[in-house]
Amino acid sequence: MKDNKLDIKRLFEPRSVAVIGASSHKDKIGYKIVENILAGGYASKLYPINPRGGEVLGLRVYKSVDEVDGEIDVACLAIPAGLVFDAVERCAERGVKFIPIISSGFSEVGNIEGEKKIASYARQHGMRVLGPNIFGIYSAKVSLNATFGPRDIKRGNVAIITQSGALGIAMIGKTAAQDIGLSSIVSVGNKSDVDEADLLEYLIHDDDTKVVMIYVEGIKDGERLVGTLKQGTRKKPVVVIKSGRSERGAIAAASHTGSLAGADEVFDSIMGQCGVLRAESLREAFDWCKFLADTPLPSGQNTLIITNGGGIGVMATDACEKYGVKLYDDAHTLSEIFSTVTPDFGSTKNPIDLTGQAAPEDYRSALGAALKQGNINAVIALYCETALFDVEDLSSMIEENDVKYKSEKKPIAFSILGGERIEGCIDSLRKRRVAAFDDVYEAVSCLGATYAYYRHLGRQSDEVEEADIDVSSIEGLVENALKDGRSFLLAHEGQSVMKAAGLPVPKSYTARGLDEAVRRAQEIGHPVVMKIVSKDILHKSDVGGVALDLENTDEVIDAYQAIIRGCRMHRPDAIIEGVEVSEMVESGTEVIIGARRDRTFGPVVMFGLGGIYVEVMKDVSFRSFPLDRQEVMSMIKEIRTYPLLLGVRGEEQKDVDGIVDAIVRLGTVVRKCYGISDIEINPLVVYGRGKGVRAVDVRILVGK
Amino acid sequence: MKDNKLDIKRLFEPRSVAVIGASSHKDKIGYKIVENILAGGYASKLYPINPRGGEVLGLRVYKSVDEVDGEIDVACLAIPAGLVFDAVERCAERGVKFIPIISSGFSEVGNIEGEKKIASYARQHGMRVLGPNIFGIYSAKVSLNATFGPRDIKRGNVAIITQSGALGIAMIGKTAAQDIGLSSIVSVGNKSDVDEADLLEYLIHDDDTKVVMIYVEGIKDGERLVGTLKQGTRKKPVVVIKSGRSERGAIAAASHTGSLAGADEVFDSIMGQCGVLRAESLREAFDWCKFLADTPLPSGQNTLIITNGGGIGVMATDACEKYGVKLYDDAHTLSEIFSTVTPDFGSTKNPIDLTGQAAPEDYRSALGAALKQGNINAVIALYCETALFDVEDLSSMIEENDVKYKSEKKPIAFSILGGERIEGCIDSLRKRRVAAFDDVYEAVSCLGATYAYYRHLGRQSDEVEEADIDVSSIEGLVENALKDGRSFLLAHEGQSVMKAAGLPVPKSYTARGLDEAVRRAQEIGHPVVMKIVSKDILHKSDVGGVALDLENTDEVIDAYQAIIRGCRMHRPDAIIEGVEVSEMVESGTEVIIGARRDRTFGPVVMFGLGGIYVEVMKDVSFRSFPLDRQEVMSMIKEIRTYPLLLGVRGEEQKDVDGIVDAIVRLGTVVRKCYGISDIEINPLVVYGRGKGVRAVDVRILVGK
């Protein structure tokens, strides 16, 4: 795996390509691919392969890979599923590096074994498989269009990775129509081997790629993807569109791809944590990619709206709040700069309203003033068509300013509302890479994505937090449980795990007799709680096996006797091991924290407020683990009930640091102890600041 | 006001129009309007008016309205603000009916008095004012383009009412470019007199108008608008776009229009209650209007997705959940219908996946099968561009099916993803009124709006609920408070209002001596609460003036004596009126209900769960009052914490009927008793089903 980075380069920049299944029938995929490679202008060696030999498009057809003299970096397979394994064996003998398998008929139709066999054979023989069930790969770097999609692909600086083939082919057309140039587009299909993380490792370092867009339905190795995305987003923006957001959609997605769609809220949180920009619709994703590819990053978040209509200015203000764009607010500076360029009945507050009387010159002055002002980092310029503007004049004013703003690294987005000529003007500006939109919300959404990325880059990445825990004693407890054939830990084992993880639990002892119970209660300090300990008694309260709030030695003695009497009476056959004497936990704010090994993303931690907040309101947040302290804080702050932890109604602030520590400890347990699949502390009782937390009840699942 | 409906017709269908301020200078608004009226083909009488006389565009210019012989239904004023009042006086003398005042320089720049004077003078003289600060009015019915906007307005069946002039003019161009025809567009500007409700009264009954779109920034007479919208939406869909959704946007809106933007959540709830479709962006509003104007309403909610790509099918499924579109789910029927038209590796579950191999014939079969199946009410047809489809063929297949589906009253929306030729195909289909989109979310959003409207029409509108309350005794209490110079009611007055409104409060009496206290406690039933009654003692607990949970006569006697002793000792000078003996309220689920006279919408009721749910989570719902029982239920169900009322964790279901009743009673109080501006019951304690509610604490504000 260490050589992936070196390796993957040859998939994008092969020195030679073979097409196995090359055909001279025009309606065959094997013809289309050869045709596209030739038309695309790939300058290195191309070897069509078909046992029948002959010629295709003027090229000699080799009867097998063995006939080829030179090295083969990439061999595309466009042959029936049943013939693929044989072909892969031949490729292995010839030392082929990458095998894009175009053919379908594998896991997507239930042929999981056939697919696995091929992928593992390839890996064992030093090869990597792309697909199967793909439309191919395009790489602008070497002008390679090894796809059966459109012949003309617009060259540019957006890279696309797509799990859906049909969608991917349509995206090639759509991006060209929208003037979004591609540096590459790769179909990953069933992802039997090469996945998004592999491809990202190349794309992160590819200078021709400014933005990466990923269309994904399901994720296989989420833990590795998270790591790669975290690295990738420090270099360039990554836009992800994942279908199956809704419950119903997730079911539809699972039924049509090999990989299961993860719970959407987990996916969403983790993408946010990785600094990925998640788009909802394809339109949004394309808009963001184009804007991010063409627009410089700002140096701050002060945004100004300039408009000739009040109404549209207010709409832009609404959109800014929706998309997290901060408006510049220094009334004094604004009035100073703009009072000379704004009519008396306009507004020098943000949005700056030049009024319906504004001519191109007024926009020029206002945009010029905003450009000069160092505190303004980005501008949204709005225009409602009036009789005062000639479209040509408007267009040249916009283009002029676009150039100036770009050279000063200030993002600018134009939104223009009007008739047919205005629409034509927007189209032609967009072709010239000017960010012009016909809807305010779209313009602001793009700026919002830019700022989300800007803020991600600005985050101080602390050292990753990990707690010092006693792994070996936890693993011992897990082993015992597995030996017993259990998939869960018993209560006292759970307590031991908490202690080994350094998580504060209520003090508790099992007393074997009355004297010990009295002594332990004194040791712990009154009040205490007592409970029967017996494997034979599951519902302790039903047999009088529980006593709460015992305030002194007399009460402890009475309760001990009552518990033993009650249990003997109701369950004369039960073996009684003793009576548990525990600290009576003071009441505080109850939260839930959890950690589990997600089958998509590996260790994931969860946080929410206890009781009905989680059950009814689903008010929880998730993160992939490990993470830094700042990110733990962000997951705590993310829940809607966070203000309760700050103290409402005159209550004191809660010990949020204690929660952070507990989350890190829980995450560390799941990360380091492979036998533990799931821990939930419910409730974790949280006291005032500096007064700590108590893990009152813990549930732990184990597995292999 | 009674004649408004008759009256307003003459604004849309005038038999004669005067343009006061008509000019022969081509850059004057007074020229532009005359030019547009002529170019538009208005066939009735047109009188240009200007003291200078002469000619404009071949028409005689009258020196004043007095020179005109016939009646004048509409006189547009395009003269400086300072001359408007005089002109209005002249119009009154001549018996003009409607005066659209194009001129600006009124309340929008602070000249509120000048505007008021004109509007009230006009009303007193039987005239109605449109504006001021408008671009005019277009009415297709009489081919009248009395605006200074674009000359060419596309005729059709969408009516637009707009508060923003700049935006309105740009919308004329935009709708034409998007092939949305207009039946009328009216600029209401400062709304000194004629407002949305007036215009709606005409548009509701106008057969040429299929959809009404309203752009609004602030509302003046919300109560009347709500009434008109409720009537209107039973006849045709109304799409509203209101800027100032965000807090910041609301401030920006308030600063630039005369009317204050109401709290957005109240506005949003009330629009929903009126069956109005609220669009977020202009794009969404235009999309919805076009779709609603061109598409029949369905007869049920079973929607089917047909696709040639799994990925895009999943995205459509996500979008259906987002926009409230229900997917047809009968697996047996689906398999029966579609197994013959779907390849083996496709899917006969919804989304029906014809796979990338699908040719036009396959779509024809699948769409034909769905059309025949009575249980399928609407279809979303998705298509990712492949090599197998010729664009011409695609286009004719789509158009064919569009016609068939419309004739069967089954909505169908197409979403097509592909290159330049596909985009051209979408454009040309849209021009021919076929609902073709380039983004899945947009297609589904339009269908979602259609279904929202369909559901609104299907709602059983019960009789409006109103409670039988004792208005005169409440008004007496209010008068007393106002006489005392108070803006609030005292606790015992609040209790009396609750009783007069028929709202259950804890039983409570003021006892003047020990014997009475004992007797009252027995009457109420133990346990009881006792509190000192003295205007001189504000903080009752501080002086020992409160005793809780008194379980028998002995405890009542002890407590009574302790209370009197404590108060005498701590406050020897206080005049003690007695001791309040009250029912000790059992604990239950605490909710908040409120009613107030909103300055925009009149009586508004509010509901939320008590305590932190309202304070921290802002989990509340609003409705305009009066309303029917079903709508009260919908406002209760709307809050996120509603499941708590159904009983979670094994608790019994709460007395939701009791809450409904309490909300109706509170709303009735505010509606009928004008002196009361605000009531809040917090908490209203709710018990199990059939066990009622108790208004434990009530706060009432009064005003004139």
Side-chain angles (χ1 to χ4, degrees), chain A residues 212-281:
Chain A
V212 180
M213 170 172 160
I214 304 177
Y215 169 80
V216 68
E217 285 162 5
I219 284 166
K220 283 185 164 172
D221 186 356
E223 207 170 342
R224 182 158 160 254
L225 181 62
V226 164
T228 318
L229 282 171
K230 279 183 177 168
Q231 284 169 40
T233 55
R234 301 217 68 86
K235 293 268 187 186
K236 55 193 70 170
V238 176
V239 174
V240 166
I241 176 154
K242 177 174 178 293
S243 57
R245 296 173 82 98
S246 61
E247 230 166 279
R248 166 99 199 202
I251 294 165
S255 74
H256 111 274
T257 68
S259 49
L260 196 77
D264 196 69
E265 58 266 42
V266 175
F267 179 84
D268 207 58
S269 300
I270 293 176
M271 288 304 108
Q273 182 183 353
C274 294
V276 160
L277 304 168
R278 186 176 182 194
E280 185 177 39
S281 64

Side-chain angles (χ1 to χ4, degrees), chain A residues 81-357:
Chain A
L83 304 178
V84 168
F85 187 76
D86 274 355
V88 169
E89 283 181 321
R90 296 289 86 70
C91 288
E93 287 160 13
R94 273 298 281 107
V96 170
K97 294 192 177 62
F98 286 92
I99 321 179
I101 304 178
I102 311 291
S103 325
S104 54
F106 293 93
S107 66
E108 85 282 6
V109 292
N111 180 8
I112 296 168
E113 280 314 309
E115 183 173 305
K116 267 196 186 158
K117 187 178 153 199
I118 290 164
S120 68
Y121 180 89
R123 286 303 285 259
Q124 280 160 18
H125 292 78
M127 304 189 294
R128 305 289 310 263
V129 169
L130 182 67
N133 187 24
I134 61 171
F135 65 77
I137 175 169
Y138 164 76
S139 173
K141 186 91 77 197
V142 294
S143 301
L144 174 70
N145 179 5
T147 76
F148 62 87
R151 184 202 282 228
D152 296 317
I153 302 186
K154 196 179 157 67
R155 183 184 285 265
N157 48 20
V158 174
I160 299 181
I161 301 170
T162 173
Q163 188 170 358
S164 166
L167 202 60
I169 290 176
M171 281 199 260
I172 294 176
K174 185 73 183 171
T175 48
Q178 304 263 310
D179 295 297
I180 299 168
L182 302 182
S183 60
S184 57
I185 179 165
V186 187
S187 172
V188 289
N190 298 358
K191 297 193 274 195
S192 71
D193 174 20
V194 169
D195 65 5
E196 295 87 355
D198 292 305
L199 300 171
L200 268 172
E201 281 180 359
Y202 171 84
L203 296 170
I204 293 169
H205 303 286
D206 172 32
D207 290 337
D208 293 341
T209 299
K210 282 191 72 179
V211 183
V212 180
M213 170 172 160
I214 304 177
Y215 169 80
V216 68
E217 285 162 5
I219 284 166
K220 283 185 164 172
D221 186 356
E223 207 170 342
R224 182 158 160 254
L225 181 62
V226 164
T228 318
L229 282 171
K230 279 183 177 168
Q231 284 169 40
T233 55
R234 301 217 68 86
K235 293 268 187 186
K236 55 193 70 170
V238 176
V239 174
V240 166
I241 176 154
K242 177 174 178 293
S243 57
R245 296 173 82 98
S246 61
E247 230 166 279
R248 166 99 199 202
I251 294 165
S255 74
H256 111 274
T257 68
S259 49
L260 196 77
D264 196 69
E265 58 266 42
V266 175
F267 179 84
D268 207 58
S269 300
I270 293 176
M271 288 304 108
Q273 182 183 353
C274 294
V276 160
L277 304 168
R278 186 176 182 194
E280 185 177 39
S281 64
L282 282 172
R283 174 193 288 274
E284 191 172 59
F286 289 141
D287 274 351
W288 289 358
C289 285
K290 187 169 167 68
F291 191 81
L292 289 161
D294 294 343
T295 307
L297 278 181
S299 57
Q301 294 198 67
N302 288 326
T303 306
L304 185 75
I305 300 171
I306 297 177
T307 182
N308 71 338
I312 205 154
V314 176
M315 268 193 268
T317 307
D318 291 345
C320 283
E321 190 156 301
K322 176 174 177 179
Y323 295 112
V325 173
K326 291 185 183 145
L327 292 179
Y328 183 55
D329 242 348
D330 183 335
H332 180 72
T333 309
L334 285 171
S335 152
E336 210 169 302
I337 310 169
F338 293 105
S339 53
T340 56
V341 298
T342 311
D344 289 345
F345 52 101
S347 168
T348 60
K349 283 182 197 144
N350 194 0
I352 303 291
D353 187 354
L354 304 177
T355 81
Q357 308 303 315

Side-chain angles (χ1 to χ4, degrees), chain B residues 582-603:
Chain B
S582 317
E583 181 187 344
M584 171 103 174
V585 177
E586 271 182 81
S587 69
T589 302
E590 298 192 353
V591 305
I592 297 182
I593 65 175
R596 69 186 164 93
R597 193 175 306 283
D598 186 89
R599 57 174 167 167
T600 304
F601 290 105

Side-chain angles (χ1 to χ4, degrees), chain A residues 561-613:
Chain A
Q561 289 166 338
I563 286 173
I564 297 294
R565 202 164 47 234
C567 293
R568 289 257 159 80
M569 194 171 72
H570 289 97
R571 300 290 308 274
D573 51 337
I575 297 166
I576 293 172
E577 290 159 56
V579 171
E580 189 188 78
V581 185
S582 317
E583 183 186 344
M584 171 104 174
V585 177
E586 269 181 84
S587 71
T589 302
E590 297 191 353
V591 305
I592 297 182
I593 65 175
R596 68 183 164 94
R597 191 174 307 282
D598 186 271
R599 56 174 166 165
T600 305
F601 290 105
V604 166
V605 285
M606 184 267 281
F607 171 71
L609 245 74
I612 50 152
Y613 297 104

Side-chain angles (χ1 to χ4, degrees), chain A residues 469-481:
Chain A
I469 64 168
D470 178 357
V471 174
S472 67
S473 84
I474 296 175
E475 281 177 344
L477 290 158
V478 172
E479 258 167 55
N480 279 340

